């Protein structure tokens, strides 16, 4: 997996919601303190206030940033919107880049991974989860600049080991992508990272049930659970929906919408040992 | 479309969430006051409290009720759960029945309509929206016992006329069904009824975007909008997502989660005149 060095140029993009200017300014200052040269996005006001701009505008910003002379593209925040612009991006034609984002950006990870690009699921510089969380910053920085390849965290839920490509992200967006033009189930043996925020148990049930009925979990050989902030107690629904799959599950791994979130790669092969609580890149 | 008569036997079922006993008792009393003989469901406590019983148990109750000597099957309430039990029902083998339900039950309407059975989208006897709303009761009773075939209501949004089979219901459930084993887009020319409750604008955008990307709207020739209770102001997102379809749209028609909700059929052919604010069965 590519990593960054001091002096690298990186572009920030807004494929989903608009970042608050003062939050983004703090986030950019952090990235600059790491020695990165940062290009920030120009948000254009739009009639739907939860979007950072028109679909065409956000897609053009994304493609222009990606194809410019940068080592990496960072999403400023999630919210909602990637599902609306993803069909406007020529995924197969994009050159290799380091890509950082999470939450709503789950949609773009799946597109990039399908096009053969590994990606980085981590905190975003235009969010409070980044600027107010030094540990999450440190973990992103360590992943990008030092290239972490193993993690020990979490609580065993179903013991066992699995090996496969890391896929997944935010469950609501994994479900919302079902039926789209390029949608497909994961590769055989995939290890699914799953997290969400603000989805009550019955809603999480509905999302997982949609993925189950669509066959998304059929090739999955192992599961790593992240945070379920604002979802209430979801242990029963996770056990009910994921238990029958009969694959190793490692819980409370600490990625997604939680303090000190880990930065993890997607689209790369890894070994999960749910008994030992380790995830190791191959 | 079949209608009911005094003395008919009807069965109540719980394919989704459990009804509160005192609410259901009130609803059953209303149905009995219409001269119906009512069989009530036996709710079995279940580990997930938002479900009225196990998936197998709810499916068996549904099939047993449907295949018993009844003229109609009424769902006691929605909530969530139909998506979990629908794959356990032999849809093509069910004899003709009048079927009443809405909200989460949208999933079962689509299955029955696909199997050639028209259905009734209306208020459910185990909900406050039924027992505390005499006008909604009156409209359900009138539809079932007198066989309404035309409605004048709503506000023109996009003028024009359309003719086709009535499809749709609750948008969240239409989206959640995408990718399921028997999922398909509506028949050519279909008129879509759309409503939801408690989905903020960005969530409604995500649901509609999933349906758009999956091709669900491609055959639709007209749209009738119901209630958007607890969704905030969704006029902009509805215009943004549905306007480009270029089909007639009639808004604020008054079905779904609103006072005095209309009872409307699904799976039957109708003519929509969005300019005149009329919906007429063929």
């Amino acid at each position: 997996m590519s990593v960054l060095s001091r002096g690298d140029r990186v572009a920030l993009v807004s494929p989903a919601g608009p970042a608050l200017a003062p939050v983004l300014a703090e986030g950019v200052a952090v990235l600059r303190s790491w020695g990165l040269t940062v290009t920030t996005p120009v948000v254009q006001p739009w009639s739907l206030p939860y979007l950072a701009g028109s679909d065409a505008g956000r897609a053009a910003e994304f493609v222009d940033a990606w194809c410019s002379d940068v080592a990496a593209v960072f999403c400023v925040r999630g919210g909602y919107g990637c599902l609306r612009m993803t069909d406007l991006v020529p995924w197969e034609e994009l050159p290799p880049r380091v890509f950082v984002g999470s939450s709503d950006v789950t949609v773009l990870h799946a597109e990039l991974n399908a096009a053969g690009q590994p990606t980085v699921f981590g905190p975003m510089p235009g969010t409070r989860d980044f600027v107010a969380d030094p540990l999450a910053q440190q973990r992103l920085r360590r992943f990008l600049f030092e290239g972490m390849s193993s993690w020990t965290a979490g609580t065993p839920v179903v013991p066992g080991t699995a090996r496969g490509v890391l896929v997944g992200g935010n469950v609501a967006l994994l479900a919302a992508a079902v039926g789209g033009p390029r949608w497909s189930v994961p590769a055989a043996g995939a290890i699914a990272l799953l997290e969400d925020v603000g989805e009550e148990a019955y809603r999480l049930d509905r999302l997982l049930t949609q993925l189950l009925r669509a066959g998304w979990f059929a090739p999955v050989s192992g599961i790593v659970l992240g945070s379920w902030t604002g979802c209430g107690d979801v242990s029963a629904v996770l056990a009910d929906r994921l238990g029958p799959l009969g694959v190793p599950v490692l819980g409370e791994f600490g990625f997604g919408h939680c303090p000190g979130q880990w930065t993890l790669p997607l689209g790369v092969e890894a070994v999960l040992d749910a008994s030992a609580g380790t995830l190791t890149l191959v």
Side-chain angles (χ1 to χ4, degrees), chain A residues 86-108:
Chain A
T86 187
D87 298 331
L88 304 176
V89 176
W91 293 106
E92 298 288 342
E93 298 169 27
L94 299 180
R97 295 285 183 264
V98 174
F99 178 68
V100 181
S102 52
S103 196
D104 188 71
V105 181
T106 292
V107 173
L108 308 187

Side-chain angles (χ1 to χ4, degrees), chain A residues 11-257:
Chain A
L12 271 53
V13 296
S14 295
L20 292 172
V23 176
L24 183 58
E26 281 188 67
V28 168
V30 172
L31 298 185
R32 287 184 173 144
S33 77
W34 297 352
L36 298 174
T37 300
V38 181
T39 307
T40 58
V42 180
V43 175
Q44 301 292 337
W46 179 243
S47 54
L48 296 171
Y50 48 84
L51 298 176
S54 69
D55 297 343
R58 299 191 327 280
E61 176 194 76
F62 183 89
V63 174
D64 288 351
W66 197 284
C67 297
S68 68
D69 179 27
V70 294
V73 174
F74 288 65
C75 298
V76 297
R77 66 165 286 223
Y80 168 71
C82 291
L83 203 66
R84 291 177 55 120
M85 55 72 84
T86 187
D87 298 331
L88 304 176
V89 176
W91 293 106
E92 298 288 342
E93 298 169 27
L94 299 180
R97 295 285 183 264
V98 174
F99 178 68
V100 181
S102 52
S103 196
D104 188 71
V105 181
T106 292
V107 173
L108 308 187
H109 285 275
E111 300 278 16
L112 286 160
N113 294 166
Q117 299 221 30
T119 54
V120 181
F121 195 86
M124 297 174 283
T127 67
R128 299 294 304 169
D129 284 356
F130 179 80
V131 300
D133 189 336
L135 180 56
Q137 290 172 24
Q138 178 195 315
R139 287 174 165 176
L140 175 61
R141 182 178 189 282
R142 184 173 161 203
F143 182 87
L144 292 173
F145 287 83
E146 301 171 25
M148 282 185 75
S149 62
S150 74
W151 293 260
T152 300
T155 307
V157 178
V158 178
T161 62
R163 177 177 173 147
V165 172
L166 296 175
V167 301
N170 183 275
V171 175
L173 275 302
L174 294 174
V178 173
R182 296 164 303 284
W183 185 80
S184 68
V185 302
I191 295 171
L193 307 184
L194 303 176
E195 67 90 25
D196 218 317
V197 57
E199 300 290 347
E200 290 176 67
Y202 85 94
R203 284 182 181 267
L204 181 59
D205 187 322
R206 190 168 74 198
L207 298 168
L208 292 171
T209 298
Q210 176 163 27
L211 290 167
L212 285 163
R213 296 183 77 230
W216 192 87
F217 281 104
V220 167
S221 72
I223 296 172
V224 183
L225 303 174
S227 58
W228 307 98
T229 305
C231 298
D233 182 357
V234 294
S235 55
V237 63
L238 289 171
D240 178 86
R241 299 281 75 186
L242 303 180
L245 296 173
V247 301
V249 178
L250 181 56
E252 299 178 17
F253 198 77
F255 63 89
H257 297 79

